[in-house]
Amino acid sequence: MNLITILEENIKKQNQKRWFPYLLVQKALVEQYFDWLDVWIDTKEKSLKGEGKLKIGDKSYSIRLSFSPFFPFRYDRIFIEDKSIKYSNDIHLYGNDLSLCLYHPVIDQPLLSRIPLFKMIPWISEWIIFYEQWKKYGVWLGKEIKHC
């Protein structure tokens, strides 16, 4: 294990140790910038949860999310509640749970920190736009690293 990996693991452990204040800050930031999302802290699951309707053009998308330092590999699990969205290697979904793949969890992660949830929320809109374009053209037009 190299020094960076050790430091990253220590940050995660600190976020887990102080999970409630950590999630409280994440909640406050989301509430400050995104009034369409209803967020709350689930103390039993030690996670920040949220639901809301995101309107893009004339279509409305139901969004559900969970955010926790106790999740393996990445803190976020963001879902679009739409049964018509099916897993494909061409779109950016994690196959195990169909959560959105909004960034590369290793390459895009800032050194010695984590991407805060409020910075991920705008990426949901981008994902939806790229998804709708993919349905139309058969090509993912957004930046991508094939990994999901």
Side-chain angles (χ1 to χ4, degrees):
M1 208 182 258
N2 68 29
L3 181 59
I4 299 293
T5 307
I6 293 168
L7 292 171
E8 290 279 353
E9 196 57 37
N10 286 343
I11 289 168
K12 184 171 184 165
K13 285 178 185 173
Q14 286 301 313
N15 290 342
Q16 290 173 341
K17 184 177 178 182
R18 297 185 182 100
W19 67 270
F20 191 81
Y22 176 76
L23 293 178
L24 203 56
V25 168
Q26 298 295 319
K27 179 181 183 292
L29 288 166
V30 169
E31 288 174 335
Q32 181 178 350
Y33 294 106
F34 305 100
D35 60 358
W36 61 270
L37 265 172
D38 180 29
V39 290
W40 65 95
I41 296 175
D42 183 331
T43 55
K44 186 176 181 180
E45 294 186 16
K46 297 180 180 176
S47 66
L48 179 63
K49 299 214 172 175
E51 294 179 345
K53 296 259 189 220
L54 179 58
K55 189 165 169 57
I56 298 178
D58 60 351
K59 193 168 179 188
S60 186
Y61 299 85
S62 293
I63 307 299
R64 180 175 52 87
L65 61 84
S66 293
F67 187 83
S68 174
F70 294 95
F71 290 155
F73 203 49
R74 64 192 216 292
Y75 288 13
D76 60 286
R77 301 296 185 271
I78 300 173
F79 304 90
I80 297 174
E81 299 292 311
D82 184 339
K83 299 290 185 207
S84 70
I85 299 175
K86 305 288 184 209
Y87 179 78
S88 165
N89 286 333
D90 296 333
I91 63 174
H92 293 266
L93 290 175
Y94 285 95
N96 58 332
D97 64 1
L98 300 182
S99 61
L100 300 184
C101 176
L102 300 172
Y103 61 95
H104 190 286
V106 175
I107 295 170
D108 294 332
Q109 203 67 256
L111 189 61
L112 302 178
S113 69
R114 294 290 178 158
I115 300 170
L117 181 59
F118 85 99
K119 288 192 175 185
M120 292 180 207
I121 305 280
W123 300 342
I124 300 169
S125 302
E126 290 177 357
W127 189 97
I128 291 168
I129 291 166
F130 291 131
Y131 174 73
E132 294 297 338
Q133 292 173 333
W134 173 79
K135 288 192 318 187
K136 191 186 248 185
Y137 304 116
V139 176
W140 192 265
L141 298 175
K143 277 179 34 180
E144 66 180 339
I145 298 169
K146 295 283 187 188
H147 70 282
C148 298

